[in-house]
Amino acid sequence: MLLKNVKLNHQDERLDILIEDGVFKAIEKNIPEREGMEVLDCSEFLALSPYVDSHCHLDYVATYGQPRYNESGTLFEGIEIWGERSKEITAEDVKKRTSHVLKWLVAQGTQYVRTHVNSDEDGLVSMQAMIELREEMKDLIDIQIIAFPQLGVYCYENGLELLEESLKMGADGIGAIPHSEDTREDAVKSLHEIFKLAVKYDKLVDVHCDETDDGHSRGIEVVASEARKTGLGSRVTASHTCAMGSYNNAYAFKLFGLLKKAGLNFVANPTINMHLQGRYDSYPKRRGLTRIKELTEAGLNVSFGNDDIMDPFYPLGCGDMLEVLEMGVHAAHLTGYTQLQDALKFITSNGARTLNIEDKYGIELGKPGNLILLAGEGGYDIIRRHVKPSYSIRKGKIIAKNEQPKFTVFRESGPESVDFRA
Ligand code: FE2
């Protein structure tokens, strides 16, 4: 496939891109067409590496209202409802919902997703289904699977054994949820144990960490310390870390020293945590997000995720990473012009770093020929006008194509089309 006159992000000059045998073969001016070659005129397009959803719960998707709606909007009612819904879970149910919703992600430019999958089920039904889907959907999307002890490792029988079993089955990484354990001691112990398993099986770590407005929730210091001591470093991710938004600055200052030494990744889920957090506050009401701006300025890697799409924990969502980004830049005060121009990194390159896939991610010679094409100018313009990808290309093949919406106003003098570009 030959893409003619493409604009690459942060570059003014338009170039041609040749993808052959599934990889980028040439990126330069005036690549000649050859007979039989598929050629796409990209003179109106900006090319980006595909979006990365760094944190999603694919096994929950599209279950909103089953068996009932979450009317309080709290995490705790969500957990209660999921407890009821999960009794009916079957592999067929997980695969049907997940494969349907994955197409929403793909159509909107995502080609990489990290999913947390419940490992607290007898028979690990969802885990088995997701491992099969990872293979069945690989023509559209790369799925990375983290075994997730939703209720807490020590809050149900054989929690640790089921996590280990998930790794043996083929999960790519292991998780924990220290703030949900009954005691601080169990929280710390759960982290020590999952890091031991990650080292033993050579797996990634991604912890649901301090997803609470309780400023005394400090699982992050243990996660960072383990990341440093085990040497796993950038193979470790702390997801959510909402409590960081409630820490006093004296503690946060000390903590940041450790975080920099540990070199771990952070994932924020702006839509979900704006929805779930602050529920026990009156006024002032906290935003409940981690310190996205400060972590970024400290040189730490932060990326964004959908987290939940129409499930007991979050009613909305269409799997659109731009919507997540838009919420994130508002909630984190990243709305300076330069910050907006740069913000796509939270759903592209930073996500690739979180997923540890940098060796195969990016529009560079020799890497898989994956990219999206958008009729937009750059971060600022894409976020402001919510420009969705016109094409998603994977290994040199079109896997998604979208018509852009057209708007018209009608006046006495006749119809006028509306252009949202200033
Ligand atoms: Fe999550």
Side-chain angles (χ1 to χ4, degrees), residues 44-45 107 373 375 386-392 400-407:
E44 63 166 328
F45 294 136
L373 297 167
H386 209 111
V387 180
K388 299 214 180 189
S390 297
Y391 291 94
S392 184
K401 182 181 175 186
N402 303 312
E403 305 292 334
Q404 296 303 311
K406 284 194 174 121
F407 299 86

Side-chain angles (χ1 to χ4, degrees), residues 55-57 60 75 116 148 177 206-208 211 239-240 269 272-273 306-308 313:
H55 186 124
C56 200
H57 293 263
Y60 303 166
L75 178 64
H116 297 255
F148 174 49
I177 184 161
D206 191 334
V207 175
H208 277 65
E211 190 182 4
S239 282
H240 297 289
N269 299 294
I272 272 54
N273 288 126
N306 269 302
D307 202 0
D308 295 275
F313 307 95

Side-chain angles (χ1 to χ4, degrees), residues 16 41 64 70 103 162 197 232 253 259 285 295 313 315 344 354 374 384 419:
D16 296 348
D41 174 18
Y64 185 54
N70 181 340
K103 287 174 213 155
L162 286 166
L197 288 173
L232 286 176
F253 180 82
L259 300 181
K285 204 180 275 290
L295 288 165
F313 307 95
L344 289 168
T354 298
L374 303 100
R384 184 185 73 81
D419 185 347

Side-chain angles (χ1 to χ4, degrees), residues 267-278:
V267 173
N269 299 294
T271 44
I272 272 54
N273 288 126
M274 285 295 283
H275 159 72
L276 289 177
Q277 307 314 127

